Each structure stands twice: as C-alpha cells, then as structure tokens.
Amino acid sequence: MARGSFGIKGTGPLIKAMQKKSDLSAVKKVVQLNTSELQRKMQRNATFTKGYSTGTTKRSITSSVSDNGFTGMVSPGTHYSPYLIYGTRFMASQDFFRPSFFEQRKQFISDMERIMG
C-alpha cells in the first residue's frame, strides 16, 4: 500500500471564523433577554377575568438563569397555576403560560439565527 500525505492550505480565515463563533457571550445575552421578556409577557397575560382574582399568580411568576447563562426558566409559583392553565371540569381554561411561551419562542429562534448567521 502506498502512503500519502494530506494537507489543507488556507485555514487561517476558517480558524478566525470559528474563533469568532466560539464567543458565546452573545448567546448568554440572548438567553437573558428572552427569559426576562417571557416573564413580562406571562405577567401581562396573567390577568384573570373570571372568578376571584387577587394578583397572586401574577406576582408569583419568577425567572431564573442557570447553567452558566445558557438556560433560562420562567415559572408560576402558585400551586393552583395548572388549574388556571388547563382548566378543570368546573372551570374554563385561562391560559397565560402557553400563548406567552409560543410568542417568545419565535423571537428566541429569530435572535439565535441572527447571532449565528
């Protein structure tokens, strides 16, 4: 068998482009921004017109960023939030969670495509 050699020329621009893409601080900023926007949207949508409303659910919606800035989480803190989101056989759904999430998800994907493109 013959032995050969393999070489690539002109890798300088490729290496520079890869180093530029490896700076993940922009990703962390996008995660932080979208997490806080999702929290605001959920709080805005957590205004209930049916039944007894005290504003406890709206105040209980919190956000946190973890995993060194790569994970954002927004959640309601009241134990009865699932009943508001999904409804029960006695109560119609007053979903404040999913519409906010799906709206913000579009923005998040757009922001990530912008910084990766």
Side-chain angles (χ1 to χ4, degrees):
M1 285 198 213
R3 288 198 172 225
S5 64
F6 178 74
I8 298 175
K9 294 183 180 181
T11 58
L14 176 63
I15 291 171
K16 285 183 183 179
M18 288 174 69
Q19 286 173 340
K20 182 180 176 189
K21 298 280 184 185
S22 70
D23 181 26
L24 298 176
S25 62
V27 174
K28 292 178 183 182
K29 288 179 185 177
V30 167
V31 169
Q32 176 68 37
L33 176 68
N34 280 274
T35 302
S36 64
E37 285 180 3
L38 179 59
Q39 180 186 11
R40 281 195 297 271
K41 286 178 183 177
M42 278 190 196
Q43 286 175 334
R44 191 173 341 118
N45 290 337
T47 303
F48 307 109
T49 57
K50 302 172 189 171
Y52 186 69
S53 178
T54 62
T56 304
T57 302
K58 182 183 282 194
R59 288 188 304 273
S60 76
I61 298 172
T62 60
S63 66
S64 63
V65 177
S66 60
D67 194 25
N68 202 16
F70 292 107
T71 303
M73 188 171 79
V74 178
S75 61
T78 55
H79 68 279
Y80 52 83
S81 294
Y83 301 118
L84 296 169
I85 295 169
Y86 298 109
T88 67
R89 64 182 177 160
F90 301 112
M91 180 180 90
S93 170
Q94 297 183 57
D95 193 0
F96 61 94
F97 190 87
R98 289 179 289 188
S100 305
F101 172 76
F102 289 126
E103 182 182 335
Q104 193 61 42
R105 181 175 70 172
K106 291 177 189 174
Q107 182 64 43
F108 178 72
I109 291 170
S110 173
D111 290 348
M112 290 301 289
E113 288 174 345
R114 180 180 44 82
I115 63 171
M116 294 298 170

